[in-house]
Amino acid sequence: MRYRLLETVAEYAARRLDEAGDRDATERRHLTHYREVARLSDPELRGPRQESAMLRLETEHDNVRGALRTAVRLRAEQDALCLVHAMSWFWQLRNHQYDALTWAREAVALGPDPFAEPVRAAGPFEGRCGDVPPPWSGERLWEARRGGRLLALATEGGGGATALEQDEARVRLEAVISAYRPGLPQNTRHPGTMWFFAQLMTGRFAGLDETLAALVAAAREQGDGWDLAFSLLLRAKLLGGQERDAEEALARFEATGDSWGIAESLAARGETYERAGRTAEAAADFARAMDAVARLGARSQVPVFKALLAAVRLRMPDVAEDPVARAATERMLVDAAEESGASGVEAVSTARLLLAQHYGNTGRTAPAREQLRLMRADFSELTPGLFHGMLDGLGGWLDCLDGAFDAADARLAGAVREMETLAFLVAPYLVVTQLATAAWARAGSGAAEEGARLLGAYDAHRGGPGGAGIRPLTARTEAAVRAHAGRAVRAALAPATFAAHYDEGRALTLHEAAALVRDRPAGRATPPAT
């Protein structure tokens, strides 16, 4: 059991420490103790003691924050960096974005910038900086400084575009690229993996698939079993349809005893099964994933897997054809959405996304819009514009279901504007999905020829690299959108006219097709707020 001091008692104790001249020494001992708690807990977050390590860090989080405040006040750079490195994976798992960004910025401000010109080249560094306690020297200290800057860079975002899209950030990304080189072991470990994504953001990699292929290859050569498992999981989740990656990641996480990794790998494999129509196998993996995180005590992840399980069960004949079972499963999905809202962990709640689509697919657009509103209300200043665009795209789909095609057209134009740049680099399929919905909207608003071009562009790009990856719509919803769009466009055009414009669309690049959605003719209706 943990007791908290009343604020007045804490203030009294602080005054007595000041009077005795012991405050600085006491705070230094507190800093050293909780630095070591965090440092020694960090490796346990990736193995069989994960549950106890998470509980320990959750319990001691306020003490760790206090230690960080002391380190910053005393300008104890190495203690601050050690704490930030040790807590970074915990913050990511628990989605403590504000802590991650705030303390990384505070820590790196205490020392020199390793990415300032002239950029200091990184040497090979095995292991993690926190494998030994400070004081540090040589390459360990410089890698800790580089890692701190990378952690700050990885958590920046907000507004209509993330900070990674700004000119100043591009200069920093170029410095990151020049500091590291291929073959360094730290490139395969977080936050060193940012080196691969820096190359993606600056155009050195053609796309996310090439970036992740390079990361996995490097992890096979230089990383340990956990690093490789994480890289495989990342590729399975971001590109989708990577059953082999999910299965290898699962086997490797099972070997390390990482319950979080086991659950995430099961979910990734379950999603590949679902897209392939193997609903029973998908449901089994989602159920196992939910049980794994429940045992771990990761309350924020339980709603995610519960929602995935409920959504796939709603497609299974024994549930879909039984009113009682269908109602109970829908209730499960609603419960998952409510639980995810209470946890406030995900920038875009998987459970709310699935519930919104279930409502939309069953003719209940008003409660579907309410789920979008609740998600947007949970956004923070750190939420990238890409996620705002995703919700606007879903709002456009609901407009089409309601027959409000002009409003849908306007909302989809805004969605593409919010997604652009970042989505093209890290999640191009988010843009591809908008093409089918926009084709439906254009056909409904009297611009069927444009709709035919957009339909052709959608069909041309939906099978491209990462085509089964990050997506705002489930495969079922996306297929329904494509069917609606196809019927609407064909009904409005003569067969020869449809074929001509459809073929024009198939020849468009994704950027050209996105511009058709974004640059809608002036004078059309502005959509109401979602």
Side-chain angles (χ1 to χ4, degrees), residues 440-464:
W440 185 6
R442 293 286 167 92
S445 61
E449 292 179 353
E450 292 177 11
R453 285 196 287 273
L454 288 167
L455 193 65
Y458 168 77
D459 285 348
H461 291 285
R462 65 176 169 173

Side-chain angles (χ1 to χ4, degrees), residues 407-421:
D409 198 17
R411 205 185 303 276
L412 291 162
V416 170
R417 281 193 292 271
E418 289 173 311
M419 288 179 180
E420 279 188 309
T421 304

Side-chain angles (χ1 to χ4, degrees), residues 268-279 281-283 286 308 311-313 315 354 474-476:
R269 188 176 69 178
E271 291 186 65
T272 68
Y273 287 156
E274 182 183 10
R275 282 191 287 270
R278 298 159 65 179
T279 53
E281 292 163 285
F286 294 146
L308 289 167
V312 75
R313 280 182 178 171
R315 294 176 52 199
L354 291 171
T474 65
R476 175 194 176 196

Side-chain angles (χ1 to χ4, degrees), residues 21 70 93 208 215 228 249 269 288 314 335 362 378 431:
T70 299
L93 290 176
L208 187 60
L215 174 58
L228 177 55
R269 188 176 69 178
R288 284 181 61 196
L314 284 167
D335 288 344
T362 52
D378 286 337
V431 180

Side-chain angles (χ1 to χ4, degrees), residues 245-499:
D245 282 349
E247 288 183 341
E248 185 179 352
L250 175 60
R252 291 182 178 278
F253 280 127
E254 285 176 335
T256 63
D258 185 324
S259 296
W260 172 88
I262 291 168
E264 289 289 345
S265 301
L266 284 167
R269 188 176 69 178
E271 291 186 65
T272 68
Y273 287 156
E274 182 183 10
R275 282 191 287 270
R278 298 159 65 179
T279 53
E281 292 163 285
D285 272 356
F286 294 146
R288 284 181 61 196
M290 186 172 69
D291 289 344
V293 294
R295 289 194 303 273
L296 179 60
R299 294 181 300 276
S300 61
Q301 285 179 285
V302 173
V304 176
F305 301 137
K306 181 188 287 188
L308 289 167
L309 177 58
V312 75
R313 280 182 178 171
L314 284 167
R315 294 176 52 199
M316 298 172 71
D318 60 332
V319 173
E321 297 168 9
D322 181 342
V324 175
R326 188 170 63 248
T329 307
E330 182 176 302
R331 182 68 248 176
M332 181 181 178
L333 182 54
V334 171
D335 288 344
E338 291 174 352
E339 290 164 15
S340 71
S343 70
V345 169
E346 296 178 285
V348 174
S349 163
T350 297
R352 291 203 187 282
L353 279 177
L354 291 171
L355 181 57
Q357 289 178 68
H358 175 64
Y359 282 147
N361 286 323
T362 52
R364 292 172 281 178
T365 56
R369 291 184 192 280
E370 175 62 9
Q371 294 303 313
L372 302 189
R373 186 194 68 77
L374 290 169
M375 278 187 279
R376 202 181 293 277
D378 286 337
F379 283 179
S380 72
E381 63 180 11
L382 297 179
T383 302
L386 182 148
F387 292 122
H388 290 271
M390 182 189 297
L391 294 195
D392 277 342
L394 286 165
W397 166 62
L398 295 174
D399 289 334
C400 286
L401 288 173
D402 286 339
F405 297 112
D406 284 342
D409 198 17
R411 205 185 303 276
L412 291 162
V416 170
R417 281 193 292 271
E418 289 173 311
M419 288 179 180
E420 279 188 309
T421 304
L422 186 60
F424 284 124
L425 291 170
V426 303
Y429 206 76
L430 291 179
V431 180
V432 174
T433 305
Q434 311 312 313
L435 303 181
T437 315
W440 185 6
R442 293 286 167 92
S445 61
E449 292 179 353
E450 292 177 11
R453 285 196 287 273
L454 288 167
L455 193 65
Y458 168 77
D459 285 348
H461 291 285
R462 65 176 169 173
I470 302 173
R471 58 173 70 215
L473 301 177
T474 65
R476 175 194 176 196
T477 303
E478 191 175 333
V481 170
R482 171 61 178 83
H484 278 297
R487 286 193 296 268
V489 173
R490 287 179 179 276
L493 297 174
T497 304
F498 168 81

Side-chain angles (χ1 to χ4, degrees), residues 79-205:
D79 290 308
L81 287 172
C82 185
L83 278 162
V84 165
H85 278 272
M87 293 296 291
S88 64
W89 184 233
F90 170 79
W91 284 332
Q92 185 167 330
L93 290 176
R94 292 301 202 209
N95 205 45
H96 291 297
Q97 291 182 329
Y98 183 79
D99 284 286
L101 178 58
T102 299
W103 294 117
R105 283 177 170 173
E106 293 280 1
V108 299
L110 299 175
D113 183 355
F115 299 121
E117 293 292 344
V119 177
R120 180 188 176 98
F125 182 75
E126 299 284 349
R128 289 180 164 81
C129 296
D131 289 346
V132 298
W136 298 329
S137 61
E139 197 57 39
R140 185 178 300 274
L141 176 56
W142 282 102
E143 188 59 34
R145 288 167 172 163
R146 283 188 289 266
R149 299 271 170 177
L150 291 175
L151 289 168
L153 185 62
T155 52
E156 289 175 350
T162 67
L164 295 180
E165 296 173 292
Q166 299 168 4
D167 290 341
E168 181 182 345
R170 189 175 184 87
V171 172
R172 285 184 288 159
L173 292 171
E174 293 288 355
V176 169
I177 293 166
S178 66
Y180 292 96
R181 66 177 189 275
L184 294 178
Q186 62 264 44
N187 294 354
T188 65
R189 295 188 299 270
H190 182 70
T193 52
M194 275 288 293
W195 181 68
F196 292 93
F197 294 97
Q199 293 182 84
L200 172 65
M201 298 296 293
T202 54
R204 286 170 173 79
F205 285 128

